[in-house]
Amino acid sequence: MVCEMENNHLEEMDIEVLSSMWPEDINEAGRQFNIEKPGGDQDMLEEVTIIEEPTIVDFKRLLELTNYSEKGSSQLAYLVKNWEYKQANVVRLLREELDNLNKQRQEVELKKLEILEEHRFEEERYGCDKRPISILDEVYDIWQDVPRRRNVVVVENKGLEIDAECDTVIYWKQQAMHLEKLFGGKHSARAVVIGHQDKELRYRFIYNHFPSLQEEDIIGKTDVEIFTGAGVKESQEFKREVLERGLPAKREITFETELFGSKTFLIYVEPVFSKAGETIGVNYMGMDVTDQVFDLLIKDEFIMFLLAQQVRKREKMAKVREELAVQKAKETELNKTIHITEETMRAKQMLATMSHEIRSPLSGVVSMAEILSTTKLDKEQRQLLNVMLSSGDLVLQLINDILDLSKVESGVMKLEATKFRPREVVKHVLQTAAASLQKILTLEGHVADDVPVEVIGDVLRIRQILTNLISNAIKFTHEGNVGIKLYVVPEPYPGDGEGHHKIIADQSTVTENTQKDDRCLSMSQCISKQKDFYGKEHEEGPYQNHTLNDEPKTPVENEASMDEDNENHLHLHETTVWIRCDVYDTGIGIPVFYKIYLSVTNDTNILFYTPDICMHMEQVELMGGHLTVSSREHYGSTFTFVLPYKVSPICEDSDDPDELSDMADHDAAVDDNDEDTSSGFFQFQPRTLGSLFSSSSSGRAQKLSANNFGFSAFHKLNGFADDSCSFPSNNIISKEMTSVDDACSVVDASETSSEPKSSLKLSPVSDSKVARGKKCHDDENGQFQNPCKYSSHSSRVSREVDEITKPRDAQETCQMQSKSDRSSRCSSSSGPEIPKSASKPKILLVEDNKINVMVTQSMMKQLGHKIDVVNNGVEAVHAVQCHNYDLILMDVCMPVMDGLQATRLIRSFEETGNWDAAVNAGIEQHMPPSDSSPNGQEFQLSTKRIPIIAMTANALAESADECFANGMDSFVSKPVNFPKLKQCLEQYLP
Amino acid sequence: MEVVQLQTRFVEYTASLFREGYLDAQFTQLQQLQDESNPDFVVEVVSLFFEDSERLLNDLTRALNQQSVDFKKVDANVHQLKGSSSSIGAQRIKNACITFRNFCDEQNIEASLRCLQQVKQEYSLVKNKLDTLFRLEQQIVAAGGSIPVME
């Protein structure tokens, strides 16, 4: 020891020798004292080091010194002795210290072991998660990652499946390397064993840093088979326990084997699960922790390693739990969503039901208002009523939309193809908007001349879109104007195939159409013209005739196709025209008002996502078009949608309420403004409510006088009266009137084998008018009371009412004009006057079932009606050929000819004025019996639309649709009963 | 028997017919149609119904026993029967007819025959019941009472 010291510190000592010379002598005694002093006191350690410093200095110098004197040599000897003593003391102290440390270490270790024991099966605490596999599944994911994980300090070795040995071996080797690296620096000789054993505890894999056995000696064997001696069994049992409990555990086991001698191993064993959650084996990690002092450190580290693993596991567990929680939260969220969806569905269902509920009374209100509009009103009242009608109509529309919306959202929305007049739609939308307009804005509508008068499309939706766009525009426009422009554009997607041809073909049809439309219009035009320019009426008349004669085929075609499916019928003639609709405003522009919702998709077109507009986009796309918007901030926006419409060249249909069903509603409100159909420009100036509507349609608008209203009202009533008159003389007269007029509108005098019209036209009219004069008010009441009372009928039905009344207006208004002209407009001022002299409505029951006939007849009798009964469709047609009925109750299923066909034939007659369709269907034309015209004038059938009520056994919607599609107005489900019949009669009989 | 007793029986019997589903509200409609001007309306209608139904049932039996069954005809007949039975409120016949028609659609002879049997049975049941009812009515009238009006 001394020598060592000498060598080591030789150079350093030179300096210190001199300085230490003196003190050494002086302090000798003190030193000794000092040395003695640190007995059992641990604090002495510091002093020991202090003392040590001078001792380093000594030896060489001392030797030199001793050479000088005896005294020195004795001194040296003493010093050496002293030093040796000191050394011994230090060693003793160190030993003590070490012991102490050891003791502490052991204590700590004990504590740690205790902790370990404590945590051995602590996984049980995660019992809430009954599927430990879920953790493993997570771990399982690292399979692919294993090779890349070489640098990760500790890989999650836990729970890896040893199915693919190759990967596993790599993994385990890697794992072992880690451990080695971990411990290697400190104690490279440390034996670490890592292995995997299957369910029978046979080794499937083993890693041993100091292999004393070949792999083949171990793989496939159990501990017991490999080793013998103490501890082997224990370890085997320990592993089995882990296997059974399915929870990892640690234990220190001392082995006493022939192979290794006495060794203590700290073993960590953990179960391995298959994906299905079964235990398929254990992973085993052992480390030699046999007795050496420094083993403690290693052991600690091992324990720390295991603890770290534990911690990691716990972290993972936490993560898993967290994920579980997240999943649970997601699930809850999902459930909530489902719940909300269900709620929404229910709410929607309720909404739908409610809408139905609301619709019924509302339609009552609207139809009553419509009927009110046919009464004598002054200008202001009429305008107010019009607004009321528009609004009521809109509410109805809205309710329908709600119903539609639920349809759209449930994906079952059907587009309806109905014929409508774009000009009317535009006008009506503007009118409605004007009605609720509270700003000084001008609403205008421009419809280009090339836009067909009538097109086929889903008018409801188009109207809805227009209405919303307009109301949006109004909302964001503070001054200037808001308007709609309609014009025909070439097909926007020329790639679509036939499109182009169609368009070209369209041109002709369209013009043809317009021509026909002109005729139609001319009819309506004449309404107004007649009022103010009687003289001109004659000019109009021939024009009508001319046009019709030009196209005599059309009605025939129409008839022929009437037998076919309605749709087919449409397809036969239709062509497509693309109409662009711009809704423009001079408002604040988009950047402000749609800022949040906007997403600019390209330079000019902006798609936007407000709910309703978004819906409209969908709708427009559904209809085959697209909706775009362009806007300039502060200058306004233009919403544009381009849609394809079918154009039917058959104009006659326009008078058919069936096909105009939707517009029919609106017609009611605007029927007095019929001439607008032809006008391409509408303007609604900001005004007071009283004068909402002004149309500057090339001068025609000015004719929108109170007279006009009065007229149409009168005619409407008159029309009713005609229907209801059964009193012979009056009846005949009125019928003649109508028939004459019908003939006028239908214009095939020769075909209908009617007599010299001119004479007829003139003679009875004024008389009859006078005769009717007094009755008007009673009649009014009589006619309109009932519907007032029963406003709760279904909307569909009430719509039918509109439909029935309207076409009559259209025709009769036109027809009556000529009369009124001739009768010097006396009636226009005298108001509606109709004779009702005990007249009873004539009702026809078409029913093959005797029992049903009997029951229905008897019910009708109780309701005060005598009815004619026929037994099948052919007989029904015959009956209609011979009599004018006010109502037909038509069974659907009948032998010989069913009700649907009969209805079609009757409708065909009403439209064309001839029975060609019936003849084509093989029904011989019955001429009315001669005695039906007591005045000696031949009986003339009315072509007014007779309400036909289907009586259907299965009141399913399809069946109802079929009825409507075939021209029936409503249906009564069988068996008929009082309330049903009553309601029906009240609704359809004037 | 006392009139009151008869009347009570009548009411109970009618109620049972409704309860057991032989008749439905349509029959009440018929009863309501009967008044002084038309005192035998229900009996008339129902007799007509019996007559008609028997004819139809005979036709049906014949049609279904033919070599080649004309289902169109069968269906038409069943439709008739269905219509009349629903008109007088003979609910069970009507329901049997509905089933019958389904099998007609399927052109299922076997099932149709089965249905025919059922319709016949329902028919005879209703016929008996109604006959009894009418007899009761007559008894009431004969005893000088008035026929109670059902709800």
Side-chain angles (χ1 to χ4, degrees), chain A residues 21 33 106 153 191 200 313 346 372 397 466 468 484 510 525 609 648 660 696 882 953 981:
Chain A
M21 261 182 70
F33 182 68
Q106 264 161 358
V153 176
E200 290 162 3
K313 242 180 257 173
R346 214 170 309 142
L372 186 63
Q397 217 67 58
L466 273 178
N468 279 341
I484 302 173
V510 168
Q525 281 166 21
Y609 298 102
S648 170
L660 258 177
S696 52
C882 299
L981 265 185

PDB file of all heavy atoms in Angstrom, chain A residues 21 33 106 153 191 200 313 346 372 397 466 468 484 510 525 609 648 660 696 882 953 981:
ATOM      1  N   MET A  21       7.096  19.862   6.562  1.00  0.00           N
ATOM      2  CA  MET A  21       8.162  19.486   7.488  1.00  0.00           C
ATOM      3  C   MET A  21       7.860  19.892   8.913  1.00  0.00           C
ATOM      4  O   MET A  21       7.842  19.116   9.831  1.00  0.00           O
ATOM      5  CB  MET A  21       9.477  20.135   7.040  1.00  0.00           C
ATOM      6  CG  MET A  21      10.337  19.165   6.264  1.00  0.00           C
ATOM      7  SD  MET A  21      11.881  19.942   5.829  1.00  0.00           S
ATOM      8  CE  MET A  21      12.669  20.050   7.392  1.00  0.00           C
ATOM      9  N   PHE A  33      -3.600  11.847  18.448  1.00  0.00           N
ATOM     10  CA  PHE A  33      -4.855  12.065  19.152  1.00  0.00           C
ATOM     11  C   PHE A  33      -6.024  12.012  18.172  1.00  0.00           C
ATOM     12  O   PHE A  33      -7.039  11.386  18.378  1.00  0.00           O
ATOM     13  CB  PHE A  33      -4.799  13.422  19.861  1.00  0.00           C
ATOM     14  CG  PHE A  33      -6.032  13.706  20.637  1.00  0.00           C
ATOM     15  CD1 PHE A  33      -6.344  12.969  21.768  1.00  0.00           C
ATOM     16  CD2 PHE A  33      -6.890  14.716  20.220  1.00  0.00           C
ATOM     17  CE1 PHE A  33      -7.478  13.231  22.482  1.00  0.00           C
ATOM     18  CE2 PHE A  33      -8.021  14.967  20.935  1.00  0.00           C
ATOM     19  CZ  PHE A  33      -8.340  14.243  22.082  1.00  0.00           C
ATOM     20  N   GLN A 106     -29.580  -3.661   2.469  1.00  0.00           N
ATOM     21  CA  GLN A 106     -30.447  -4.814   2.644  1.00  0.00           C
ATOM     22  C   GLN A 106     -31.852  -4.404   3.086  1.00  0.00           C
ATOM     23  O   GLN A 106     -32.855  -4.934   2.629  1.00  0.00           O
ATOM     24  CB  GLN A 106     -29.833  -5.791   3.656  1.00  0.00           C
ATOM     25  CG  GLN A 106     -29.073  -6.881   2.956  1.00  0.00           C
ATOM     26  CD  GLN A 106     -28.082  -7.574   3.873  1.00  0.00           C
ATOM     27  OE1 GLN A 106     -27.947  -7.190   5.044  1.00  0.00           O
ATOM     28  NE2 GLN A 106     -27.388  -8.565   3.362  1.00  0.00           N
ATOM     29  N   VAL A 153     -35.513   1.859 -25.407  1.00  0.00           N
ATOM     30  CA  VAL A 153     -34.866   1.289 -24.239  1.00  0.00           C
ATOM     31  C   VAL A 153     -35.517  -0.024 -23.845  1.00  0.00           C
ATOM     32  O   VAL A 153     -34.865  -1.036 -23.719  1.00  0.00           O
ATOM     33  CB  VAL A 153     -34.905   2.288 -23.067  1.00  0.00           C
ATOM     34  CG1 VAL A 153     -34.312   1.651 -21.832  1.00  0.00           C
ATOM     35  CG2 VAL A 153     -34.154   3.551 -23.435  1.00  0.00           C
ATOM     36  N   ALA A 191     -25.729 -12.966 -15.254  1.00  0.00           N
ATOM     37  CA  ALA A 191     -26.462 -13.929 -16.060  1.00  0.00           C
ATOM     38  C   ALA A 191     -27.914 -13.498 -16.161  1.00  0.00           C
ATOM     39  O   ALA A 191     -28.596 -13.355 -15.154  1.00  0.00           O
ATOM     40  CB  ALA A 191     -26.384 -15.307 -15.422  1.00  0.00           C
ATOM     41  N   GLU A 200     -47.690 -25.791 -21.473  1.00  0.00           N
ATOM     42  CA  GLU A 200     -47.183 -26.898 -20.661  1.00  0.00           C
ATOM     43  C   GLU A 200     -45.840 -26.553 -20.034  1.00  0.00           C
ATOM     44  O   GLU A 200     -45.121 -27.424 -19.534  1.00  0.00           O
ATOM     45  CB  GLU A 200     -47.059 -28.144 -21.539  1.00  0.00           C
ATOM     46  CG  GLU A 200     -48.422 -28.682 -21.930  1.00  0.00           C
ATOM     47  CD  GLU A 200     -48.331 -29.612 -23.135  1.00  0.00           C
ATOM     48  OE1 GLU A 200     -47.201 -29.876 -23.611  1.00  0.00           O
ATOM     49  OE2 GLU A 200     -49.388 -30.059 -23.582  1.00  0.00           O
ATOM     50  N   LYS A 313     -46.487  -0.697 -17.847  1.00  0.00           N
ATOM     51  CA  LYS A 313     -47.710  -1.473 -18.005  1.00  0.00           C
ATOM     52  C   LYS A 313     -48.896  -0.681 -17.475  1.00  0.00           C
ATOM     53  O   LYS A 313     -49.950  -0.620 -18.070  1.00  0.00           O
ATOM     54  CB  LYS A 313     -47.579  -2.791 -17.218  1.00  0.00           C
ATOM     55  CG  LYS A 313     -47.665  -3.992 -18.131  1.00  0.00           C
ATOM     56  CD  LYS A 313     -47.530  -5.235 -17.348  1.00  0.00           C
ATOM     57  CE  LYS A 313     -46.150  -5.816 -17.502  1.00  0.00           C
ATOM     58  NZ  LYS A 313     -45.955  -6.965 -16.601  1.00  0.00           N
ATOM     59  N   ARG A 346     -88.916  11.335 -35.035  1.00  0.00           N
ATOM     60  CA  ARG A 346     -90.224  11.397 -34.411  1.00  0.00           C
ATOM     61  C   ARG A 346     -90.805  12.796 -34.561  1.00  0.00           C
ATOM     62  O   ARG A 346     -91.970  12.986 -34.872  1.00  0.00           O
ATOM     63  CB  ARG A 346     -90.119  11.005 -32.940  1.00  0.00           C
ATOM     64  CG  ARG A 346     -91.358  10.268 -32.481  1.00  0.00           C
ATOM     65  CD  ARG A 346     -91.175   9.657 -31.108  1.00  0.00           C
ATOM     66  NE  ARG A 346     -89.963   8.870 -31.012  1.00  0.00           N
ATOM     67  CZ  ARG A 346     -89.198   8.834 -29.935  1.00  0.00           C
ATOM     68  NH1 ARG A 346     -89.512   9.540 -28.884  1.00  0.00           N
ATOM     69  NH2 ARG A 346     -88.111   8.094 -29.917  1.00  0.00           N
ATOM     70  N   LEU A 372    -114.901  33.225 -51.702  1.00  0.00           N
ATOM     71  CA  LEU A 372    -115.231  34.614 -51.380  1.00  0.00           C
ATOM     72  C   LEU A 372    -114.803  35.519 -52.535  1.00  0.00           C
ATOM     73  O   LEU A 372    -115.486  36.477 -52.880  1.00  0.00           O
ATOM     74  CB  LEU A 372    -114.523  35.011 -50.086  1.00  0.00           C
ATOM     75  CG  LEU A 372    -114.875  36.383 -49.523  1.00  0.00           C
ATOM     76  CD1 LEU A 372    -116.340  36.436 -49.143  1.00  0.00           C
ATOM     77  CD2 LEU A 372    -114.002  36.694 -48.324  1.00  0.00           C
ATOM     78  N   GLN A 397     -98.421  26.058 -49.037  1.00  0.00           N
ATOM     79  CA  GLN A 397     -97.218  25.628 -49.734  1.00  0.00           C
ATOM     80  C   GLN A 397     -96.129  25.250 -48.741  1.00  0.00           C
ATOM     81  O   GLN A 397     -95.463  24.243 -48.880  1.00  0.00           O
ATOM     82  CB  GLN A 397     -96.730  26.790 -50.598  1.00  0.00           C
ATOM     83  CG  GLN A 397     -96.172  26.354 -51.909  1.00  0.00           C
ATOM     84  CD  GLN A 397     -97.273  25.766 -52.768  1.00  0.00           C
ATOM     85  OE1 GLN A 397     -98.246  26.426 -53.043  1.00  0.00           O
ATOM     86  NE2 GLN A 397     -97.132  24.523 -53.162  1.00  0.00           N
ATOM     87  N   LEU A 466     -87.851  29.824 -55.871  1.00  0.00           N
ATOM     88  CA  LEU A 466     -87.993  31.224 -56.249  1.00  0.00           C
ATOM     89  C   LEU A 466     -88.428  32.063 -55.060  1.00  0.00           C
ATOM     90  O   LEU A 466     -87.879  33.130 -54.809  1.00  0.00           O
ATOM     91  CB  LEU A 466     -89.029  31.354 -57.364  1.00  0.00           C
ATOM     92  CG  LEU A 466     -88.510  31.195 -58.786  1.00  0.00           C
ATOM     93  CD1 LEU A 466     -89.657  31.291 -59.770  1.00  0.00           C
ATOM     94  CD2 LEU A 466     -87.475  32.265 -59.078  1.00  0.00           C
ATOM     95  N   ASN A 468     -88.038  31.562 -51.920  1.00  0.00           N
ATOM     96  CA  ASN A 468     -86.988  31.744 -50.931  1.00  0.00           C
ATOM     97  C   ASN A 468     -85.898  32.675 -51.431  1.00  0.00           C
ATOM     98  O   ASN A 468     -85.378  33.494 -50.682  1.00  0.00           O
ATOM     99  CB  ASN A 468     -86.388  30.397 -50.551  1.00  0.00           C
ATOM    100  CG  ASN A 468     -87.243  29.686 -49.546  1.00  0.00           C
ATOM    101  OD1 ASN A 468     -88.062  30.308 -48.882  1.00  0.00           O
ATOM    102  ND2 ASN A 468     -87.074  28.389 -49.433  1.00  0.00           N
ATOM    103  N   ILE A 484     -86.856  38.835 -60.992  1.00  0.00           N
ATOM    104  CA  ILE A 484     -86.630  37.513 -61.551  1.00  0.00           C
ATOM    105  C   ILE A 484     -86.551  37.659 -63.064  1.00  0.00           C
ATOM    106  O   ILE A 484     -87.363  38.370 -63.660  1.00  0.00           O
ATOM    107  CB  ILE A 484     -87.794  36.559 -61.194  1.00  0.00           C
ATOM    108  CG1 ILE A 484     -87.952  36.450 -59.683  1.00  0.00           C
ATOM    109  CG2 ILE A 484     -87.573  35.189 -61.802  1.00  0.00           C
ATOM    110  CD1 ILE A 484     -89.168  35.662 -59.256  1.00  0.00           C
ATOM    111  N   VAL A 510     -91.451  24.810 -79.630  1.00  0.00           N
ATOM    112  CA  VAL A 510     -91.719  25.961 -78.790  1.00  0.00           C
ATOM    113  C   VAL A 510     -92.534  26.977 -79.562  1.00  0.00           C
ATOM    114  O   VAL A 510     -93.528  27.495 -79.073  1.00  0.00           O
ATOM    115  CB  VAL A 510     -90.410  26.581 -78.282  1.00  0.00           C
ATOM    116  CG1 VAL A 510     -90.668  27.927 -77.666  1.00  0.00           C
ATOM    117  CG2 VAL A 510     -89.756  25.647 -77.310  1.00  0.00           C
ATOM    118  N   GLN A 525    -107.051  36.687 -73.255  1.00  0.00           N
ATOM    119  CA  GLN A 525    -106.960  38.097 -73.606  1.00  0.00           C
ATOM    120  C   GLN A 525    -108.329  38.656 -73.905  1.00  0.00           C
ATOM    121  O   GLN A 525    -108.674  39.755 -73.522  1.00  0.00           O
ATOM    122  CB  GLN A 525    -106.081  38.269 -74.839  1.00  0.00           C
ATOM    123  CG  GLN A 525    -104.611  38.194 -74.512  1.00  0.00           C
ATOM    124  CD  GLN A 525    -103.810  38.023 -75.753  1.00  0.00           C
ATOM    125  OE1 GLN A 525    -104.268  38.330 -76.842  1.00  0.00           O
ATOM    126  NE2 GLN A 525    -102.598  37.531 -75.599  1.00  0.00           N
ATOM    127  N   TYR A 609     -73.889  27.736 -48.327  1.00  0.00           N
ATOM    128  CA  TYR A 609     -74.370  26.662 -47.485  1.00  0.00           C
ATOM    129  C   TYR A 609     -75.350  27.098 -46.423  1.00  0.00           C
ATOM    130  O   TYR A 609     -75.297  26.642 -45.312  1.00  0.00           O
ATOM    131  CB  TYR A 609     -73.178  25.963 -46.846  1.00  0.00           C
ATOM    132  CG  TYR A 609     -72.301  25.361 -47.873  1.00  0.00           C
ATOM    133  CD1 TYR A 609     -71.126  25.964 -48.249  1.00  0.00           C
ATOM    134  CD2 TYR A 609     -72.685  24.185 -48.502  1.00  0.00           C
ATOM    135  CE1 TYR A 609     -70.336  25.408 -49.219  1.00  0.00           C
ATOM    136  CE2 TYR A 609     -71.903  23.627 -49.475  1.00  0.00           C
ATOM    137  CZ  TYR A 609     -70.726  24.240 -49.829  1.00  0.00           C
ATOM    138  OH  TYR A 609     -69.962  23.681 -50.796  1.00  0.00           O
ATOM    139  N   SER A 648     -94.562  20.458 -73.460  1.00  0.00           N
ATOM    140  CA  SER A 648     -95.567  19.691 -74.176  1.00  0.00           C
ATOM    141  C   SER A 648     -96.221  20.607 -75.173  1.00  0.00           C
ATOM    142  O   SER A 648     -96.685  21.694 -74.836  1.00  0.00           O
ATOM    143  CB  SER A 648     -96.601  19.141 -73.204  1.00  0.00           C
ATOM    144  OG  SER A 648     -97.656  18.626 -73.950  1.00  0.00           O
ATOM    145  N   LEU A 660    -102.774  20.658 -64.526  1.00  0.00           N
ATOM    146  CA  LEU A 660    -102.353  21.953 -64.016  1.00  0.00           C
ATOM    147  C   LEU A 660    -102.577  22.021 -62.521  1.00  0.00           C
ATOM    148  O   LEU A 660    -102.644  23.074 -61.953  1.00  0.00           O
ATOM    149  CB  LEU A 660    -103.191  23.033 -64.685  1.00  0.00           C
ATOM    150  CG  LEU A 660    -102.465  23.758 -65.813  1.00  0.00           C
ATOM    151  CD1 LEU A 660    -103.397  24.740 -66.452  1.00  0.00           C
ATOM    152  CD2 LEU A 660    -101.225  24.428 -65.312  1.00  0.00           C
ATOM    153  N   SER A 696     -97.669  46.021 -65.745  1.00  0.00           N
ATOM    154  CA  SER A 696     -97.565  46.846 -66.934  1.00  0.00           C
ATOM    155  C   SER A 696     -97.273  45.944 -68.117  1.00  0.00           C
ATOM    156  O   SER A 696     -96.242  46.000 -68.733  1.00  0.00           O
ATOM    157  CB  SER A 696     -96.458  47.874 -66.759  1.00  0.00           C
ATOM    158  OG  SER A 696     -95.279  47.215 -66.376  1.00  0.00           O
ATOM    159  N   CYS A 882    -125.954  11.422 -72.440  1.00  0.00           N
ATOM    160  CA  CYS A 882    -127.361  11.804 -72.539  1.00  0.00           C
ATOM    161  C   CYS A 882    -127.782  12.867 -71.529  1.00  0.00           C
ATOM    162  O   CYS A 882    -128.822  13.494 -71.691  1.00  0.00           O
ATOM    163  CB  CYS A 882    -128.248  10.574 -72.343  1.00  0.00           C
ATOM    164  SG  CYS A 882    -127.949   9.322 -73.586  1.00  0.00           S
ATOM    165  N   ALA A 953    -112.487   0.541 -53.101  1.00  0.00           N
ATOM    166  CA  ALA A 953    -112.538  -0.387 -51.973  1.00  0.00           C
ATOM    167  C   ALA A 953    -111.272  -0.320 -51.146  1.00  0.00           C
ATOM    168  O   ALA A 953    -111.317  -0.378 -49.930  1.00  0.00           O
ATOM    169  CB  ALA A 953    -112.745  -1.800 -52.482  1.00  0.00           C
ATOM    170  N   LEU A 981    -120.232  10.383 -47.590  1.00  0.00           N
ATOM    171  CA  LEU A 981    -121.063  10.843 -48.692  1.00  0.00           C
ATOM    172  C   LEU A 981    -121.444  12.300 -48.509  1.00  0.00           C
ATOM    173  O   LEU A 981    -121.380  13.097 -49.434  1.00  0.00           O
ATOM    174  CB  LEU A 981    -122.341  10.005 -48.748  1.00  0.00           C
ATOM    175  CG  LEU A 981    -122.339   8.816 -49.696  1.00  0.00           C
ATOM    176  CD1 LEU A 981    -123.717   8.186 -49.713  1.00  0.00           C
ATOM    177  CD2 LEU A 981    -121.972   9.258 -51.106  1.00  0.00           C
TER     178      LEU A 981
END
